[in-house]
Amino acid sequence: MERIVFVFRRVIARTRRPATAVFTAIYAGSAFYMLHRLITGYVHSSFLSQFMTEKTIGLVFSTASILALLTFFIFAKLLRKVGAHRFFLLISLVAIFATSLISITTTPVFAVALFITITIASQLLYYIFDVFIELYSRSETETGRVRGTYLTILTTSAIAASLLMGLLVGDNEYWKGYLAAAIFLVPMVFLIGRATKNPPPFIRSEQAELLSTIRSIVANRNLRIILFLHFLLQLAFVWFVVYIPLYLTQYIGFDWLTFGTLLSIGFLGYIITEYPAGWIADNILGEKELLATGFIILSGTLIAMSFITVASFGIWVFVFLLSRAGAGLVESMSESYFFKQVDGSDTTTMALFRMLRPLATITGPILVTLLLIYFPFQYIFVFCGIFILFFGLIGTLRLVDSR
C-alpha cells in the first residue's frame, strides 16, 4: 500500500498545476474506481459463460450497451438538475449495491440484470470523472498533461486490479472478485464525496440539446474525426475485455492467475506511453503523429494474436506490452485532442464522447457474432486489427493537428 501511495504522489507531483485537495481526491478516487472496473470487466464474460454460449454473451453485452446509450442522456439531464456531487453519490450507491448482489446470485435472469446495472453504472461513473476534471481544470494548455496523469493513475491501479483478479478468481470463484470490486467503491465514495461537495456553479448552466450538439459535432470536422478514432479504440477495448479472457483461458489454456499476471505486466505499456505522450502532445509534436503510431502498433499486435496458439508466457507478455503501448498512445492522444475542444459546461458533448464505449460494445459483439458464423474463434482478432488499422490511419491523416 505504501508503494501505491508513493506512485500516486510522484505522478500527481509531475503536473504543473498545484496539487489541490480536490485533484488529489479525484486522482486517488479514480484509482479505486479502476480497481472496481477492471476486476468486474474482465470477469463478466467468463462469469456469464456459466449460463450461456459465447454468441449469447455477445448479445447480452450488446443489450447492456444499448440500454446504457438510452439512459445516458436521461442521466446527463439529471446531472444538471441535482448537481455533480449528488449525481456521483447516487450512481456510486447503485454500483455498490449491484456488484454486491451479483457476487451471490446463481440465477441467469438476475445475473444478466445485475450485469446490465453494473455496466450502466460503470459508464456513468467514468463520465462523471470527466465532468469533475473539466470543472476543476482551468488551463487548456495543460490538458494533455492532466489527462496523461489521470490515465497513468488509472493504469497503475489497473495493474493492481489484474493481479488481484488472478488471486481472487482463482478456480473460477467469481464471487470473490465481485465482492472485492464492491468494497473498492467505498473509499472512492469517501474520497470524492468529501472533496467535491461544492463544484463550480457552471455545471448548472444551460446546455445545448442533443440534436443541436450532434449538428455542431457533424459541422466540426476535427471533432467528428477524433470521436470516430476514439470509437475505434473502444472497439479494440471490447476485444480486450470480452474476448481475450475467453481466448486465453479457454482456448490457449492459461489459468486465471497467469492471465492476471499477463494483464498486470501488459498494463505497464500504458504507463510507459500515456503520461509522456500527453507531455509531448502539449509541448512538441501535437497528437496526430502519435495517434498514427499508436494505431499501427495496436493493430499489428491484434492481428498477431490470431496466429499465436501456444501458451508461452514470454510471447504473450511481449504481445500484451506492445498492444497496451499502442492503445495507450491512441487513448491519451484522442482524449487530449477531444478535451482541448470542450470545457466543464459541455456535459452533452462529453456524454457523447463517453457513449462511444457502450456504442462499441454494441457494435463489437455483433461483428464477432457474424464472424463466428464463418470463421473459428481465434481469427476474430485478425479482422479487428485490419479494420482498426485501415480506418484509424485514414482518420488520423485527415485530422488537423493541434500544433
Side-chain angles (χ1 to χ4, degrees):
M1 179 59 72
E2 290 181 358
R3 180 62 179 169
I4 294 175
V5 172
F6 173 75
V7 172
F8 288 155
R9 286 175 177 170
R10 287 291 301 274
V11 173
I12 292 170
R14 288 176 183 171
T15 62
R16 295 178 182 176
R17 181 183 309 283
T20 64
V22 173
F23 262 92
T24 302
I26 290 173
Y27 286 146
S30 68
F32 286 105
Y33 162 76
M34 185 53 70
L35 287 171
H36 163 82
R37 179 168 178 167
L38 257 292
I39 290 175
T40 57
Y42 279 99
V43 166
H44 279 326
S45 60
S46 297
F47 171 73
L48 293 174
S49 69
Q50 299 176 112
F51 308 108
M52 58 196 72
T53 65
E54 293 162 358
K55 293 181 181 179
T56 307
I57 289 172
L59 295 176
V60 170
F61 270 80
S62 294
T63 301
S65 295
I66 290 171
L67 293 174
L69 284 172
L70 293 175
T71 58
F72 235 109
F73 285 103
I74 297 173
F75 282 101
K77 291 181 180 179
L78 179 63
L79 166 64
R80 296 195 292 272
K81 288 182 179 180
V82 305
H85 178 70
R86 280 186 284 183
F87 180 83
F88 167 76
L89 293 178
L90 172 65
I91 301 303
S92 298
L93 291 176
V94 170
I96 292 171
F97 180 72
T99 311
S100 300
L101 282 183
I102 202 172
S103 68
I104 59 174
T105 189
T106 57
T107 306
V109 173
F110 284 114
V112 171
L114 291 168
F115 159 72
I116 290 173
T117 304
I118 294 168
T119 299
I120 295 172
S122 181
Q123 293 292 339
L124 290 172
L125 283 173
Y126 201 25
Y127 165 55
I128 194 63
F129 273 108
D130 287 333
V131 174
F132 279 139
I133 290 173
E134 288 301 302
L135 283 175
Y136 290 100
S137 297
R138 295 297 181 186
S139 174
E140 295 299 331
T141 61
E142 293 188 350
T143 298
R145 186 159 46 248
V146 169
R147 286 281 154 184
T149 301
Y150 173 58
L151 294 173
T152 300
I153 289 174
L154 292 183
T155 303
T156 304
S157 181
I159 294 173
S162 302
L163 290 171
L164 284 170
M165 179 188 65
L167 293 171
L168 291 168
V169 174
D171 297 324
N172 298 326
E173 295 178 299
Y174 305 114
W175 69 271
K176 292 182 180 179
Y178 284 120
L179 184 59
I183 293 171
F184 284 129
L185 289 180
V186 175
M188 178 200 74
V189 173
F190 177 78
L191 286 165
I192 298 180
R194 289 188 62 188
T196 61
K197 288 182 179 180
N198 300 298
F202 58 85
I203 187 63
R204 296 178 181 274
S205 63
E206 286 296 319
Q207 304 298 308
E209 293 297 326
L210 172 60
L211 291 179
S212 62
T213 300
I214 293 175
R215 281 195 294 268
S216 66
I217 290 172
V218 171
N220 186 328
R221 175 181 171 179
N222 290 325
L223 193 55
R224 184 174 71 243
I225 291 173
I226 203 64
L227 285 168
F228 175 70
L229 295 179
H230 197 73
F231 171 74
L232 293 178
L233 174 67
Q234 299 309 314
L235 273 181
F237 284 158
V238 170
W239 262 262
F240 285 164
V241 173
V242 180
Y243 297 107
I244 286 180
L246 288 173
Y247 184 49
L248 292 189
T249 60
Q250 298 186 21
Y251 288 84
I252 300 300
F254 286 122
D255 58 38
W256 275 99
L257 181 58
T258 305
F259 175 68
T261 305
L262 277 172
L263 274 182
S264 64
I265 297 174
F267 277 121
L268 292 173
Y270 289 115
I271 292 179
I272 293 169
T273 56
E274 286 186 330
Y275 181 84
W279 185 88
I280 292 170
D282 282 342
N283 297 280
I284 302 175
L285 290 177
E287 291 85 5
K288 189 171 180 177
E289 297 85 352
L290 295 175
L291 268 172
T293 303
F295 275 119
I296 292 170
I297 296 171
L298 172 61
S299 302
T301 51
L302 278 170
I303 293 170
M305 287 180 185
S306 289
F307 302 101
I308 303 172
T309 57
V310 295
S312 170
F313 186 81
I315 292 175
W316 281 104
V317 161
F318 180 71
V319 170
F320 268 48
L321 276 170
L322 275 182
S323 65
R324 270 54 179 183
L329 283 174
V330 176
E331 183 175 39
S332 58
M333 292 303 94
S334 61
E335 296 223 355
S336 172
Y337 196 98
F338 174 80
F339 284 102
K340 286 178 180 178
Q341 318 298 317
V342 301
D343 59 39
S345 65
D346 298 324
T347 56
T348 306
T349 308
M350 285 190 284
L352 279 171
F353 186 70
R354 286 307 172 206
M355 284 173 65
L356 295 176
R357 182 61 178 266
L359 182 61
T361 310
I362 296 169
T363 308
I366 291 174
L367 290 174
V368 170
T369 301
L370 294 174
L371 288 172
L372 289 176
I373 296 174
Y374 304 102
F375 301 99
F377 185 82
Q378 74 183 84
Y379 293 115
I380 63 174
F381 304 107
V382 170
F383 290 96
C384 177
I386 293 173
F387 182 84
I388 289 174
L389 178 63
F390 180 75
F391 288 103
L393 289 182
I394 288 177
T396 301
L397 291 174
R398 297 184 63 195
L399 194 68
V400 176
D401 214 342
S402 62
R403 293 186 63 84

